[in-house]
Amino acid sequence: VHLHIGAYGEALDDYNHDLQLRPDDMDALANRAEASLQLGRLDDVRIAYMDLFNHARDRADQLMRSMQRWLTERRVDPQGFKAAELDAFQRWIDERLKLAGA
């Protein structure tokens, strides 16, 4: 529920707890990545994407769309992110898309 109402910090706590109990829960991992993305925790998002890519490709693809949308939004309103950070994230996304054959 926290993820859907925009309480991303609380959602992150919820999913961390769930993953302690069920470390192979790919839905929880994907949702934690979505919360991390909204909190700007890009390193956590990168790690989650790679795990999802290897174990739940459909969820990795969903996360990729979210990352692209997030980046587009930050190009309009950076919300404190520097252009170099956004450019680096864009390069990382582009590399993943190329490797995925998209």
Side-chain angles (χ1 to χ4, degrees), residues 17-94:
H17 179 72
D18 185 38
L19 287 163
Q20 284 178 340
L21 299 173
R22 299 179 301 160
D24 295 332
D25 184 345
M26 292 296 112
D27 288 330
L29 180 63
N31 289 335
R32 181 177 70 176
E34 294 281 353
S36 294
L37 180 62
Q38 295 307 316
L39 293 170
R41 299 176 60 160
L42 301 183
D43 287 338
D44 293 340
V45 175
R46 288 180 180 103
I47 292 166
Y49 174 81
M50 296 307 296
D51 199 8
L52 290 167
F53 187 84
N54 290 315
H55 298 102
R57 181 66 188 269
D58 59 325
R59 294 307 306 259
D61 293 344
Q62 290 174 352
L63 179 58
M64 178 57 74
R65 289 188 294 276
S66 293
M67 291 186 294
Q68 291 172 309
R69 196 169 32 254
W70 180 91
L71 189 57
T72 299
E73 292 167 0
R74 291 309 162 284
R75 294 286 188 198
V76 174
D77 178 7
Q79 297 183 11
F81 282 89
K82 296 178 181 164
E85 293 172 301
L86 298 176
D87 291 344
F89 195 53
Q90 180 69 63
R91 283 190 303 276
W92 184 85
I93 286 173
D94 292 344

